[in-house]
Amino acid sequence: IQACQEEAKESSRRVRGVGSGRRRGCARDVRKASPCGSARMYGGDGGAQQDDLYTGYDNQENDFAPSIEDELQTQSMGSFSKPAPPSTARLGTGMNPATAARGGDDGPRPLTSVRAAGYSSQVRGKLNPLQAVTGQVAFTSVLKKPEQTFEQQCRTDEREVHRALEESASLSAKGDNSMALERAKEAAKLERALSKKREEHSSGDQINLDLTFSVCLNLGQEYHNNKLYSDALNVYTSLAKNKQFSQSGTVRLKMGNTYFEQGKFPNAIKMYRMSLDQIPTTSKFMKFKILRNIGLSFIRMGQYQDAVQALDSVVENIPDPVAAFNLLVCMHALGDSERMQTAFLKLLGIKAKSEVEEVEEGEEG
């Protein structure tokens, strides 16, 4: 019996790695493999001792009882056979299940497959509740006004100059010469600042010369309207000496008018004649109006014969009632009755002023 027990113990050690569910089967195999048989091992008939076969099986001292190591090994083997529960985490785009289905306390893994296209699973911006009530949702932090480039800033400054220039001209037409002069000064100040800005950024070649000329010419005209003749002449002189401006004929005409207002008729006649040389031949009515101003200057100086030459050419070419009347005055001053009668007939043949203006506008168009 002792030999059979030792053999049973050795067999038990060989099958120690099997789970507790198979322990009974191993015991039966051991009994079958024993040469003494189960009846002889326990002393008596096999049928009588069948119920006592597993007596004391659960005791710790029993060699056939499973140990703590067996329980741990059984649990480890059972974990391989038991299928894992399905994961509730959101699958990602990777092929590694450890990183694609990562969950836990931090929540599911964020979606990153569309990040390169500019999309995100998180809401950006700040919700404006006032606009959300009306059905329009706006994100104030996203909709930001882009910064202007240097050229856009210059365009904005040019619009400000144009606005001040137009307001000055409008006020002058209404007879408010003082306010018109203030707006003209403001337009000139804005234009100088704009030109300086372009020069500092090495873009002086992009300065709007037409805008500069218009601002300075308007400033000189407003000085003239406010009886500030010296300031007006300074502005006109600077424009006339600047070779970048091709409208020097208009500037000379303005200077002649200023000298005429001052009573400096020789200087006025000089400026008028210089203007005649610089005005293009296409400006027909402008040339004859300058000749009329020359004739009026000669009349103020008492040189009636020179005035007759200037005014006669005007009356022969355009229907100008002012020139015809002053020509009649010169003939009367000279005592030439025949030519005075001729001048009077020419004056009667001239159309009304409104009709003359319509003819001039059609000719210029």
Side-chain angles (χ1 to χ4, degrees):
I1 294 173
Q2 185 178 1
C4 291
Q5 290 179 353
E6 291 178 358
E7 186 177 357
K9 291 180 180 181
E10 185 177 358
S11 299
S12 174
R13 294 190 188 98
R14 288 197 302 266
V15 296
R16 184 68 59 87
V18 184
S20 59
R22 301 175 57 186
R23 183 66 61 187
R24 295 182 179 181
C26 293
R28 294 190 187 98
D29 293 339
V30 170
R31 290 195 309 269
K32 291 179 180 180
S34 177
C36 299
S38 59
R40 269 182 262 177
M41 181 174 60
Y42 290 100
D45 296 337
Q49 298 294 332
Q50 187 70 25
D51 295 334
D52 297 333
L53 179 63
Y54 299 104
T55 303
Y57 180 77
D58 293 332
N59 296 333
Q60 293 291 336
E61 297 179 357
N62 192 354
D63 293 334
F64 292 97
S67 63
I68 298 176
E69 296 179 357
D70 294 339
E71 294 291 338
L72 295 177
Q73 192 172 7
T74 303
Q75 293 178 4
S76 63
M77 293 181 64
S79 61
F80 285 104
S81 60
K82 184 178 181 180
S87 177
T88 59
R90 182 176 58 184
L91 292 178
T93 56
M95 297 301 295
N96 190 355
T99 60
R102 185 181 302 165
D105 297 336
D106 296 338
R109 176 185 175 186
L111 184 64
T112 59
S113 61
V114 294
R115 184 171 296 174
Y119 297 97
S120 176
S121 60
Q122 299 179 356
V123 178
R124 298 179 180 179
K126 184 177 180 181
L127 183 63
N128 191 346
L130 297 179
Q131 295 184 0
V133 172
T134 59
Q136 298 178 356
V137 180
F139 295 96
T140 56
S141 62
V142 177
L143 301 176
K144 293 183 179 179
K145 186 177 181 180
E147 297 182 357
Q148 289 185 345
T149 61
F150 172 73
E151 189 62 28
Q152 291 176 347
Q153 294 177 0
C154 292
R155 297 290 184 183
T156 304
D157 295 341
E158 283 188 5
R159 286 192 289 268
E160 294 295 330
V161 176
H162 278 287
R163 186 178 295 107
L165 182 60
E166 291 175 358
E167 290 178 359
S168 175
S170 178
L171 292 171
S172 179
K174 294 178 181 179
D176 193 354
N177 295 326
S178 60
M179 290 301 299
L181 179 60
E182 294 298 327
R183 296 300 295 168
K185 290 180 179 179
E186 184 178 354
K189 182 179 179 180
L190 293 174
E191 195 279 328
R192 285 193 298 268
L194 176 60
S195 300
K196 184 178 180 181
K197 182 188 293 186
R198 285 192 177 277
E199 291 175 355
E200 291 177 353
H201 287 77
S202 301
S203 60
D205 54 340
Q206 298 182 0
I207 295 177
N208 192 345
L209 296 178
D210 293 335
L211 179 61
T212 304
F213 178 80
S214 300
V215 169
C216 294
L217 190 67
N218 180 73
L219 179 61
Q221 183 63 44
E222 295 306 325
Y223 279 133
H224 177 88
N225 295 338
N226 288 271
K227 309 299 180 182
L228 302 174
Y229 300 118
S230 59
D231 295 333
L233 289 173
N234 291 334
V235 174
Y236 292 146
T237 303
S238 62
L239 287 177
K241 291 182 178 179
N242 195 336
K243 301 300 181 181
Q244 294 180 342
F245 303 131
S246 59
Q247 300 91 342
S248 57
T250 304
V251 178
R252 297 294 181 181
L253 176 60
K254 295 286 187 180
M255 294 177 69
N257 294 336
T258 304
Y259 283 124
F260 189 90
E261 291 289 338
Q262 288 181 311
K264 300 178 180 180
F265 301 111
N267 294 337
I269 292 173
K270 180 181 178 180
M271 291 295 112
Y272 287 144
R273 286 178 175 174
M274 292 178 67
S275 179
L276 278 176
D277 297 335
Q278 297 173 0
I279 291 292
T281 56
T282 55
S283 302
K284 176 182 176 181
F285 287 94
M286 180 64 69
K287 283 183 173 294
F288 289 122
K289 288 181 180 179
I290 295 174
L291 282 174
R292 182 187 66 185
N293 292 342
I294 293 174
L296 295 176
S297 299
F298 279 122
I299 291 175
R300 295 295 183 90
M301 295 172 63
Q303 300 178 8
Y304 300 109
Q305 190 63 41
D306 295 333
V308 168
Q309 293 179 1
L311 295 175
D312 192 26
S313 60
V314 176
V315 175
E316 292 293 335
N317 291 277
I318 62 173
D320 192 340
V322 177
F325 177 78
N326 285 279
L327 179 61
L328 179 61
V329 172
C330 291
M331 294 302 178
H332 177 72
L334 293 173
D336 192 347
S337 58
E338 293 182 1
R339 295 178 65 183
M340 184 174 61
Q341 182 180 2
T342 304
F344 185 74
L345 293 174
K346 289 181 179 179
L347 179 60
L348 293 176
I350 294 176
K351 299 179 181 180
K353 184 177 180 181
S354 60
E355 296 179 0
V356 174
E357 292 178 353
E358 292 178 358
V359 173
E360 292 180 359
E361 291 178 358
E363 189 69 23
E364 291 178 356

